[in-house]
């Protein structure tokens, strides 16, 4: 009986599209039971990337795939050209072996994601499959357009635990996403344990604190630390957000000293926004925030701390300014770089501060001024990148205040053209936020994320010249069978030839 033949992949069948692809149709490389993975000698990180590749390949191939500095026909080397930057790589697939070269371990990790996608979809199976594990021959040279390619998960409106967030990281990294922004606090709930302020999580992380009174939950410091380490091993930086001065009902419910009159506010689990505010003129506010920011900074190895700043309709313009000007130095004191929703740019910012543009208007003066002053901007326009927007009017999950977003709409824009005064050189990158008012499970999260996140990931990584909807939708179709085997839920948008 002959073995079933797996469908072969083309060298360019990758999301995000690589910068340069030179196929060699005459050549293939086939992984077999004798294949070993050779990693750069003396680099524990390269070894870890090798182990990551082996862990991806072992279940479906059933091969041993040893990883070491000795022999091996799949080589992950750190002698790449400096022009590749931290995340770039060169991948050569020849008849006698596969060689990935990078200048830094993150580049090898990116190369591994490409290798994974170049194998037949059966590679995602959890048990051994019979067939030939053949890679298309040729050479890829690849590096990201933007340094920051993010996703955001709102664990305040609905809590998602350590295992769910790890699983989310696992699916995101396949598209070379390198930041996960965690929206940790909001009006409904406070989801990160803070020493000295235990009621934040005891009360506002307790039962019934999700939207509409759904489940409890918060991350202990140990949980958060475990997540940060898990993400870091996959070259993902966690960006923690403590939203302020609005979106603070949960904090003011737990601690009455944070309200204007010292009386605790009632718990709220509805989806309204813009009704709560820290008190800009009260010293208790800043004593509290000094503790919170110090702790979050201490738990977070990444450079960023997100202070929210959005929808502060319950804060006067003067108080907003006072408040932001008091908080900026606190973040600096604990050696983090401020990220904030772009409303923050209504206040004069240091050039290290990063506004994240989220609205749907065609212009924003504050963001443009900040960019002119040297700030880098993260682009998350709600009408393109918001993963919580419905795909169509019929979508059972999601909201529609920014319109509906099908895959073509998520793909059909460019961050350098989005806001006057904010061009390519002003951009740190792009992020796709997922707010969780209507979500209840990891399946819901995945259904809203896939297949739109790959569109945002490609916009963030691939050179503009590669942007092509027809090519993208064909490449995207290949993920249907992969996600099914991985157990990742997705919305089977009719625009895609699955
Ligand atoms: C706006 S986007 C918000 C969130 C909501 C979201 C729902 C932003 C910075 N604030 O509070 O969850 O819309 O789409």
């Amino acid at each position: 009986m002959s073995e079933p033949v797996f469908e072969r992949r083309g060298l360019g069948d990758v999301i995000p599209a690589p910068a340069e692809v030179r196929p060699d149709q005459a050549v293939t490389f086939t992984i077999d039971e004798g294949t070993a993975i050779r990693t750069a000698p003396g680099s524990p990180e390269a070894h870890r990337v090798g182990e990551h590749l082996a862990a991806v390949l072992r279940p479906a191939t059933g091969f041993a795939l040893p990883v070491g500095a000795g022999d091996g026909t799949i080589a992950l080397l750190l002698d790449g050209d400096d022009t590749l930057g931290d995340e770039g790589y060169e991948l050569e697939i020849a008849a006698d072996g596969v060689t990935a070269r990078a200048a830094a371990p993150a580049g090898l990790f990116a190369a591994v994601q490409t290798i994974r996608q170049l194998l037949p979809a059966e590679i995602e199976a959890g048990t051994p499959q019979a067939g030939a594990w053949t890679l298309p021959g040729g050479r890829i040279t690849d590096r990201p357009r933007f340094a920051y390619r993010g996703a955001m998960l709102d664990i305040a409106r609905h809590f998602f635990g350590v295992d769910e967030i790890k699983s989310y990281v696992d699916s995101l990294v396949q598209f070379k996403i390198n930041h996960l922004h965690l929206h940790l606090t909001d009006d409904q709930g406070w989801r990160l344990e803070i020493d000295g302020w235990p009621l934040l999580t005891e009360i506002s992380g307790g039962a019934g604190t999700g939207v509409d009174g759904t489940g409890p939950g918060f991350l202990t410091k140990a949980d958060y630390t475990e997540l940060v380490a898990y993400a870091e091993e996959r070259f993902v930086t966690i960006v923690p957000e403590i939203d302020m001065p609005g979106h603070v009902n949960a904090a003011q419910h737990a601690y009455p000293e944070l309200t204007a009159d010292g009386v605790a506010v009632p718990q709220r689990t509805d989806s309204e926004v813009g009704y709560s505010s820290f008190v800009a003129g009260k010293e208790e506010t800043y004593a509290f925030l000094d503790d919170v920011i110090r702790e979050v900074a201490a738990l977070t190895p990444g450079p960023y701390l997100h202070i929210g700043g959005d929808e502060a309709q319950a804060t006067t313009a003067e108080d907003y300014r006072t408040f932001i000007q008091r908080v900026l130095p606190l973040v600096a004191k604990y050696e983090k770089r401020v990220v904030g929703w772009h409303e923050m740019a209504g206040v004069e910012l240091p050039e290290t501060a990063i506004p994240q543009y989220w609205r749907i208007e065609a212009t924003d003066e504050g963001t443009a001024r900040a960019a002119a002053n040297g700030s880098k901007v993260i682009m998350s326009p709600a009408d393109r990148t918001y993963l919580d927007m419905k795909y169509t009017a019929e979508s059972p999950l999601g909201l529609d205040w920014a319109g509906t977003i099908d895959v073509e709409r998520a793909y059909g824009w460019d961050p350098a053209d989005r806001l006057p005064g904010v061009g390519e050189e002003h951009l740190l990158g792009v992020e796709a936020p997922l707010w969780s008012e209507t979500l209840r499970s990891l399946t819901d999260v995945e259904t809203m994320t896939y297949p739109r996140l790959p569109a945002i990931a490609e916009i963030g990584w691939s050179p503009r010249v590669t942007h092509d909807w027809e090519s993208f939708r064909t490449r995207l179709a290949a993920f249907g069978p992969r996600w099914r085997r991985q157990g990742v839920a997705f919305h089977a948008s009719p625009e895609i030839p699955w």
Side-chain angles (χ1 to χ4, degrees):
M1 220 173 69
S2 67
E3 282 192 340
V5 179
F6 297 149
E7 197 178 320
R8 295 268 176 91
R9 312 272 300 146
L11 192 65
D13 293 345
V14 176
I15 295 178
E20 266 175 62
V21 179
R22 271 170 293 157
D24 182 346
Q25 313 282 6
V27 167
T28 59
F29 176 78
T30 300
I31 298 174
D32 62 27
E33 54 285 321
T35 303
I37 298 171
R38 175 162 71 96
T39 63
S43 170
E45 286 119 318
H47 185 86
R48 258 203 294 109
V49 175
E51 286 294 354
H52 174 84
L53 175 60
V56 167
L57 304 182
R58 279 175 191 143
T61 61
F63 303 152
L65 295 157
V67 182
D71 290 341
T73 46
I74 300 180
L76 305 178
L77 307 176
L78 281 171
D79 56 1
D81 207 290
D82 280 347
T83 59
L84 293 169
D86 278 354
E87 296 184 289
Y89 64 91
E90 244 174 40
L91 180 65
E92 185 164 13
I93 300 172
D96 58 353
V98 174
T99 309
R101 297 178 193 280
L108 292 180
F109 189 76
V112 161
Q113 305 316 315
T114 298
I115 293 170
R116 181 174 185 172
Q117 292 189 20
L118 289 176
L119 283 161
E122 287 80 359
I123 198 65
E124 303 298 343
T127 53
Q129 310 290 306
W133 303 105
T134 300
L135 287 160
R139 178 188 285 267
I140 291 177
T141 308
D142 201 9
R143 69 179 73 75
R145 175 177 173 192
F146 297 117
Y148 187 108
R149 303 166 314 276
M152 187 209 83
L153 185 61
D154 172 5
I155 67 168
R157 270 58 173 275
H158 184 85
F159 180 69
F160 299 96
V162 175
D163 289 343
E164 292 165 313
I165 302 172
K166 283 182 176 173
S167 207
Y168 200 46
V169 169
D170 288 341
S171 63
L172 293 171
V173 295
Q174 296 179 45
F175 299 98
K176 302 185 173 78
I177 292 293
N178 65 353
H179 289 78
L180 177 62
H181 167 183
L182 291 177
H183 184 74
L184 295 166
T185 67
D186 213 299
D187 287 316
Q188 298 81 354
W190 185 287
R191 310 295 177 193
L192 177 65
E193 180 182 42
I194 303 290
D195 282 346
W197 300 86
L199 300 181
L200 289 171
T201 42
E202 273 171 38
I203 293 179
S204 291
T209 53
V211 164
D212 298 336
T214 52
F218 64 88
L219 300 173
T220 64
K221 293 173 69 165
D223 289 339
Y224 181 82
T225 300
E226 182 183 332
L227 262 179
V228 165
Y230 187 87
E232 202 172 29
E233 281 173 18
R234 288 153 185 79
F235 302 91
V236 170
T237 300
I238 297 290
V239 181
E241 178 186 352
I242 306 293
D243 202 350
M244 60 183 94
H247 294 275
V248 296
N249 194 76
Q252 293 179 321
H253 174 58
Y255 285 102
E257 59 264 52
L258 299 176
T259 69
D261 56 8
V263 178
V265 297
Q267 182 187 50
R268 296 244 333 228
T269 62
D270 57 89
S271 292
E272 276 311 302
V273 296
Y275 61 83
S276 63
S277 178
F278 278 143
V279 187
K282 216 173 163 179
E283 283 314 303
E284 285 92 333
T285 301
Y286 306 106
F288 168 73
L289 289 174
D290 191 297
D291 283 350
V292 170
I293 291 169
R294 184 183 65 250
E295 287 217 19
V296 174
L299 289 171
T300 305
Y304 307 118
L305 199 150
H306 199 304
I307 60 167
D310 58 316
E311 299 175 318
Q313 285 95 295
T315 317
T316 66
E318 196 190 330
D319 280 354
Y320 187 84
R321 171 177 300 268
T322 304
F323 179 86
I324 296 290
Q325 283 172 347
R326 289 286 304 265
V327 169
L328 289 172
L330 288 181
V331 178
K333 173 166 126 189
Y334 297 113
E335 295 177 354
K336 295 296 168 191
R337 208 170 150 184
V338 160
V339 187
W341 300 107
H342 69 272
E343 287 100 314
M344 173 182 83
V347 176
E348 204 167 297
L349 298 173
E351 65 179 51
T352 51
I354 300 163
Q356 179 171 11
Y357 183 73
W358 66 272
R359 288 287 316 173
I360 59 179
E361 284 76 19
T363 60
D364 187 68
E365 241 176 74
T367 309
R369 197 174 347 100
N373 185 49
S375 274
K376 296 284 188 196
V377 174
I378 297 170
M379 272 294 165
S380 300
D383 53 349
R384 302 288 185 170
T385 68
Y386 268 33
L387 299 175
D388 64 315
M389 290 303 119
K390 291 175 178 289
Y391 288 90
T392 67
E394 287 73 46
S395 297
L397 301 171
L399 305 173
D400 61 4
W401 66 263
T404 57
I405 306 180
D406 60 14
V407 185
E408 187 169 7
R409 186 161 177 79
Y411 188 72
W413 67 290
D414 192 88
D417 296 340
R418 189 57 178 74
L419 279 185
V422 184
E424 183 91 15
E425 69 278 20
H426 302 117
L427 292 171
L428 187 62
V430 292
E431 181 181 294
L434 180 51
W435 303 95
S436 59
E437 289 94 329
T438 67
L439 313 180
R440 298 291 178 266
S441 64
L442 180 63
T443 300
D444 289 354
V445 166
E446 291 169 346
T447 305
M448 297 309 276
T449 300
Y450 301 108
R452 290 181 294 193
L453 186 275
I456 306 304
E458 176 148 312
I459 287 169
W461 175 284
S462 306
R464 221 176 148 157
V465 292
T466 65
H467 194 88
D468 183 84
W469 166 244
E470 282 307 320
S471 155
F472 180 73
R473 64 195 278 274
T474 313
R475 284 179 286 124
L476 191 55
F479 284 86
R482 288 169 190 266
W483 284 322
R484 268 185 219 106
R485 289 189 175 86
Q486 290 177 16
V488 171
F490 66 100
H491 169 66
S493 314
E495 321 153 73
I496 308 303
W498 303 108

